[in-house]
Amino acid sequence: MVSERMNDGEPERSVPGRQSVNKPIYVTQPFLPPLEEFIPYLERIWEKKILTNNGPFHQELEQALCEYLGVRHVALFANGTLALVTALQALRITGEVITTPYSFVATAHSLLWNAIKPVFVDIDADTLNLDPERIEAAITPHVTAIMPVHCYGRPCDVDAIQRIADNYNLRVIYDAAHSFGVQDGNGSLLSHGDLSVLSFHATKVFNTFEGGAIVCPDAKTKQRIDHLKNFGFVDEVTVVAAGINGKMNEVSAAFGLLQLRHMEAALTARKRIDSRYRELLDGVPGIRCLANSAATVSNYAYFPILVDPEYAISRDALYQNLRDNGIYARRYFYPLISEFPMYRGLPSASLDNLPVATAISRKILCLPIYPALISAEVEYIVDLIRKGAGVET
Ligand code: T4K
């Protein structure tokens, strides 16, 4: 029996004898505000009959996100992948782009959709993001940009990446799919580089069912992006680029506006779960939580642990054991992108070139984290992990 309400207060009950297989716990569960709060938004859509194409909710959400995130311009998209593809088009990126193998496939797929060759560079063992020290050696005459990922919402070394980009005249497009609301010492993490791309997929901290956005620093770039996401149309008779249909619809935009009203409570609940896991997992032999990141404000989008060889069973045995008990943790990101068939022939995809990413992908396990997860469920999950480690609970 699982409480469906948002866990923004103290846990209400324990789950002894939990009916584990009947009630699976997934790695995430989308936050859905009370349905009745969404009805007035739908009524407005029914009344105006504007369903898409830069409608009133779309415009309102772009403005609201600029304010909430503390950024200058936001262009909404139907999903994060189309936003990545369009970001590359907007900056006219060609040739080769340096990127991380340790991400969701959409990062590198967006390059292939633009006929760009990915150049994979290994990650740093602490940030789990592109290792700036390895970027320079990978720059060829064809490299025109860097596409780093703030994996799990943990900031990249943005200063080092920018220094390299400036030295070699490269553009930087951050895949910030996991980084909604994250801040570093300079404010929004999304302000770094030339562009940042967000995902508002159902599994993300902030969701619009499906959705995404490009964050950009100036109005001119935003205008080009807006043209590109609407087939290249400037007006009824003018098409300036071979654009795509990447627009967010009004129902999703309205849902985003409602979701924003609940963000603080959702983030507070996530933070509490993160702390509880850290407390309970402390001292379990062979289980490592990631150290705190450089973020000054985190979003607790994921709860990754590393299963080291000192743990009693393998990472995959633990993953299976949790599944057998109804806990659907996920191995984000295993396999590496560079191991998939469309990438593994690239010279930069060789495992010898990516020792850190390879090792991490074999140890990583993301535990469930979402606002409705109650403390008793966190305890249940950790009990299973401790039992796997042979620790008396
Ligand atoms: N760049 C990065 C770094 C990304 O992580 C992503 C997306 C993108 C780019 C592309 O952005 P989008 O085009 O997606 O906006 C999920 C998501 O589909 C994907 O958006 C996300 N990254 C990736 C990390 O995770 P799967 O294949 O793991 O999703 P799925 O369907 O297995 O969902 C995970 C669990 O979430 C399910 O077991 C149950 C729960 N769930 C899922 C959905 C869709 C729900 O409870 N309700 C739902 O509606 O990829």
Side-chain angles (χ1 to χ4, degrees):
M1 295 289 285
V2 178
S3 166
E4 294 296 334
R5 76 174 180 85
M6 194 191 312
N7 179 27
D8 56 356
E10 281 304 299
E12 299 169 320
R13 59 182 116 141
S14 62
V15 279
R18 180 179 173 276
Q19 294 172 320
S20 52
V21 184
N22 295 339
K23 183 74 184 179
I25 296 179
Y26 296 111
V27 69
T28 189
Q29 182 185 85
F31 171 65
L32 292 171
L35 183 56
E36 60 273 18
E37 289 185 20
F38 196 40
I39 304 295
Y41 291 85
L42 293 176
E43 284 171 350
R44 270 175 67 190
I45 293 173
W46 257 245
E47 195 186 305
K48 285 186 191 296
K49 298 181 178 51
I50 302 292
L51 307 187
T52 185
N53 288 7
N54 199 26
F57 282 130
H58 184 285
Q59 292 178 30
E60 209 182 313
L61 182 59
E62 285 192 344
Q63 197 47 46
L65 285 174
C66 284
E67 281 159 30
Y68 181 86
L69 297 169
V71 297
R72 292 228 179 95
H73 299 279
V74 169
L76 292 174
F77 275 79
N79 59 62
T81 305
L82 278 171
L84 281 172
V85 168
T86 306
L88 291 158
Q89 291 266 324
L91 299 185
R92 298 182 172 86
I93 305 297
T94 56
E96 299 178 0
V97 169
I98 287 177
T99 192
T100 170
Y102 191 74
S103 180
F104 189 60
V105 282
T107 309
H109 280 1
S110 72
L111 299 174
L112 289 199
W113 274 78
N114 280 291
I116 293 166
K117 185 170 152 189
V119 177
F120 294 111
V121 165
D122 207 1
I123 58 171
D124 174 87
D126 294 324
T127 64
L128 307 189
N129 296 322
L130 268 184
D131 183 348
E133 294 202 354
R134 293 169 192 257
I135 292 178
E136 253 176 301
I139 297 174
T140 70
H142 305 292
V143 168
T144 56
I146 308 173
M147 184 180 273
V149 178
H150 301 296
C151 193
Y152 311 130
R154 297 163 58 83
C156 293
D157 187 342
V158 289
D159 293 336
I161 289 172
Q162 195 57 55
R163 267 197 303 277
I164 296 166
D166 290 343
N167 280 346
Y168 290 86
N169 197 21
L170 305 177
R171 311 304 292 268
V172 182
I173 299 176
Y174 279 103
D175 179 337
H178 303 170
S179 308
F180 186 90
V182 176
Q183 295 186 23
D184 64 11
N186 294 316
S188 173
L189 185 60
L190 307 169
S191 303
H192 296 284
D194 293 284
L195 299 174
S196 287
V197 175
L198 287 161
S199 165
F200 304 150
H201 183 262
T203 55
K204 297 295 189 282
V205 165
F206 169 83
N207 88 80
T208 56
F209 282 41
E210 290 267 9
I214 301 180
V215 174
C216 63
D218 62 280
K220 197 167 163 226
T221 310
K222 152 91 166 133
Q223 190 181 56
R224 176 162 165 78
I225 290 166
D226 283 346
H227 292 157
L228 283 170
K229 77 178 191 191
N230 188 28
F231 312 99
F233 273 112
V234 173
D235 59 39
E236 280 183 36
V237 292
T238 316
V239 174
V240 290
I244 199 154
N245 183 357
K247 294 164 275 122
M248 178 181 281
N249 69 69
E250 284 292 278
V251 177
S252 287
F255 188 75
L257 283 165
L258 174 57
Q259 180 103 187
L260 264 189
R261 286 170 34 192
H262 292 272
M263 275 316 290
E264 289 315 308
L267 292 174
T268 303
R270 284 180 175 276
K271 184 176 183 177
R272 182 173 297 114
I273 294 162
D274 180 282
S275 305
R276 191 77 182 125
Y277 268 133
R278 286 177 187 276
E279 190 186 326
L280 294 171
L281 286 167
D282 189 35
V284 179
I287 298 293
R288 247 190 309 153
C289 301
L290 300 190
N292 286 332
S293 75
T296 53
V297 177
S298 300
N299 66 8
Y300 311 98
Y302 294 86
F303 194 84
I305 57 168
L306 295 169
V307 184
D308 284 327
E310 300 78 62
Y311 189 68
I313 53 175
S314 69
R315 186 274 311 268
D316 289 345
L318 173 61
Y319 164 82
Q320 189 56 48
N321 190 8
L322 290 171
R323 281 179 79 94
D324 293 344
N325 286 280
I327 309 301
Y328 292 80
R330 291 291 290 267
R331 292 165 291 188
Y332 296 134
F333 289 98
Y334 165 84
L336 296 175
I337 299 178
S338 45
E339 293 182 83
F340 290 120
M342 62 296 295
Y343 300 106
R344 64 179 167 226
L346 294 169
S348 65
S350 104
L351 295 187
D352 294 346
N353 185 45
L354 308 167
V356 180
T358 305
I360 297 289
S361 74
R362 272 56 174 171
K363 293 179 175 185
I364 200 79
L365 194 61
C366 287
L367 301 181
I369 185 165
Y370 50 87
L373 192 70
I374 61 172
S375 263
E377 290 168 323
V378 173
E379 285 156 20
Y380 174 75
I381 293 164
V382 174
D383 274 355
L384 290 171
I385 296 171
R386 292 173 77 89
K387 277 185 193 133
V391 178
E392 287 294 323
T393 54

